[in-house]
Amino acid sequence: MEKGTALGIIGIVIGAFGLGLGGLSWFSLVQIPAQSWYDTSEANGVSSSRISIYDLSISMTLGAGQVIHVSFTCTVYSGSTLVSLYIYIDDIFTGAKTRVSRENGIGFLYYPASIQHVNNTLAPGAHTVTVCTDASDSDSSVYDCVLYVRTI
C-alpha cells in the first residue's frame, strides 16, 4: 500500500507542477496584448523623386518588449521601367523595399507588389509607419494600397 500511495503523491506533485508551469506560460503571454492597425489609399501618382504615398500612414504606440510586423500591398500601374516602394518608420528607411520592373517597356501594365518587415529593436513609445515610392519616370501610379501593422 505504501508503494501505491507514494506513487500517487508523486503523480499529484508532478501534475500540480505541470499545471503551475502552464498557468505561468499563459499569464506571460497575456501580459503583452497584440494590437493591429491598417490604412488604405486608392490611387497615387509616382514621381522621379522619393515621396510618401499620399494619405497612407499609421501612428501607433509600441509597448516594452513588443515586436512590430509591417505588411504593405498594392498594385503598380507601370509606365516606366522601374518603380520602387520603401517602408519607413519615423521617417527612417528600414531597409525593406521592393521594385517592379518592366522588361519590354511597351505600354502600361499592372503589377502586384508587396513588402514585409519585422523590427524587434524599436524603443517603446510612439512611432509612425509610412510607405514611400519613386520611379524612373512620372508615368506610373500605385493603386489599392493597404498598409497593415501588428505588434506582438
Side-chain angles (χ1 to χ4, degrees):
M1 288 285 258
E2 288 183 26
K3 203 176 209 182
T5 305
L7 286 175
I9 292 173
I10 290 173
I12 290 173
V13 169
I14 290 173
F17 181 72
L19 184 61
L21 281 178
L24 179 64
S25 245
W26 186 79
F27 282 116
S28 68
L29 291 175
V30 173
Q31 289 177 352
I32 304 175
Q35 297 177 321
S36 59
W37 302 264
Y38 78 95
D39 195 8
T40 61
S41 179
E42 290 301 317
N44 288 274
V46 177
S47 156
S48 58
S49 59
R50 195 173 296 184
I51 57 170
S52 294
I53 294 179
Y54 176 74
D55 215 15
L56 186 71
S57 86
I58 293 176
S59 295
M60 40 76 77
T61 302
L62 191 64
Q66 288 188 310
V67 175
I68 184 173
H69 177 255
V70 180
S71 176
F72 170 76
T73 60
C74 72
T75 300
V76 175
Y77 182 65
S78 180
S80 68
T81 56
L82 180 65
V83 176
S84 300
L85 300 153
Y86 311 88
I87 292 178
Y88 279 73
I89 298 177
D90 300 330
D91 295 325
I92 299 170
F93 176 51
T94 62
K97 66 181 176 183
T98 191
R99 292 185 171 149
V100 176
S101 177
R102 289 196 2 209
E103 292 183 23
N104 60 12
I106 299 170
F108 290 86
L109 299 172
Y110 291 94
Y111 298 95
S114 65
I115 312 172
Q116 302 286 320
H117 176 68
V118 175
N119 191 317
N120 61 357
T121 60
L122 283 177
H127 299 282
T128 302
V129 179
T130 56
V131 179
C132 293
T133 183
D134 62 27
S136 57
D137 65 32
S138 59
D139 290 339
S140 300
S141 298
V142 290
Y143 292 91
D144 303 327
C145 301
V146 177
L147 178 61
Y148 179 78
V149 175
R150 180 170 172 84
T151 59
I152 49 176

